[in-house]
Amino acid sequence: MNYKRVVLIGFRGAGKSTLAKLLAEHLGWDYISTDSQVEQKHHETIAEMVRKSGWEKFRQAEHEIINSLKNITAVVIDCGGGIIEDPENIKLLERQSLIVWVDADTHDLNKRIRDDRIERPLLTRKDMSADIRENYQRRRPLYEKYADFRVNSSHSSPEQLCRVIIQKLRDG
Ligand code: S3P
């Protein structure tokens, strides 16, 4: 196996965390969430950080976390949805990594973001539907460009997606 880690990218609500935890369990690798790392390091939730200091502060904090992970192997990295906004993040993440775009149908993205207990601050000053629609459309080509392949959590269970990813790891 040439890959030493799996990096999950994709929009909010796509199901990255569920899949990443399960995958880490199957592989016997560590699970790391960039969002949780930012929150632990700064002793505040992302929502609090964005409220107090703005998105720029969060993006900087996120980048520092990614930089700190650059040499870690045997790990599944669950990335925040906006990781692809900075190409430098991808440069740090792609070493020896299989990068998977976890996608879902727009209907599911909307539903999951609305229903989720995690408070996700809006990315723009628009209403939630417009915020999701516009950012998803803008980011789609970036996820596509940076990922080795795409999976869709609307049509397969996390277990099925794990099997697909593990097969790709073996093939690679
Ligand atoms: C963000 C997604 C969130 C979190 C932050 C910013 C984004 O992560 O990093 O609220 O820019 O889409 P999830 O994708 O895990 O919700």
Side-chain angles (χ1 to χ4, degrees), residues 12 16 35 46 55 58-59 62 80-82 120-121 123 139:
R12 305 161 155 204
K16 287 168 293 187
D35 285 347
I46 294 171
W55 277 112
F58 170 72
R59 295 294 171 213
E62 186 177 53
R120 288 186 178 88
L123 298 164
R139 286 178 175 176

Side-chain angles (χ1 to χ4, degrees), residues 9-161:
I9 60 173
F11 205 68
R12 305 161 155 204
K16 287 168 293 187
S17 302
T18 307
L19 183 56
K21 284 177 193 153
L22 192 65
L23 192 58
E25 222 176 278
H26 278 298
L27 293 167
W29 287 4
D30 288 333
Y31 163 83
I32 292 182
S33 148
T34 59
D35 285 347
S36 304
Q37 296 265 317
V38 167
E39 294 186 332
Q40 277 163 28
K41 182 172 168 191
H42 293 268
H43 309 287
E44 58 186 354
T45 65
I46 294 171
E48 284 162 356
M49 184 184 273
V50 170
R51 237 185 335 261
K52 277 202 281 189
S53 319
W55 277 112
E56 212 170 304
K57 167 91 191 291
F58 170 72
R59 295 294 171 213
Q60 181 57 34
E62 186 177 53
H63 179 73
E64 282 164 17
I65 291 298
I66 290 168
N67 191 37
S68 74
L69 301 176
K70 63 177 181 278
N71 295 321
I72 295 176
T73 55
V75 69
V76 179
I77 305 177
D78 171 15
C79 295
I83 220 100
I84 41 72
E85 301 278 0
D86 180 354
E88 293 303 315
N89 287 341
I90 301 293
K91 279 194 200 144
L92 292 165
L93 285 167
E94 67 191 358
R95 295 180 197 173
Q96 296 184 299
S97 297
L98 180 70
I99 304 187
V100 184
W101 171 18
V102 184
D103 199 13
D105 294 353
T106 330
H107 165 82
D108 286 331
L109 293 176
N110 273 280
K111 186 170 172 356
R112 291 185 199 151
I113 293 170
R114 276 175 206 283
D115 294 352
D116 217 328
R117 276 177 295 118
I118 306 168
E119 189 196 344
R120 288 186 178 88
L122 294 180
L123 298 164
T124 56
R125 286 169 200 274
K126 314 233 157 111
D127 67 75
M128 189 183 270
S129 301
D131 188 77
I132 295 171
R133 193 176 53 247
E134 288 178 21
N135 282 291
Y136 179 71
Q137 287 309 330
R138 188 175 57 77
R139 286 178 175 176
R140 252 189 86 93
L142 297 173
Y143 295 130
E144 186 152 30
K145 172 167 145 196
Y146 296 131
D148 293 301
F149 70 104
R150 165 180 177 262
V151 294
N152 186 319
S153 69
S154 293
H155 304 290
S156 309
S157 68
E159 274 296 342
Q160 287 169 321
L161 297 183

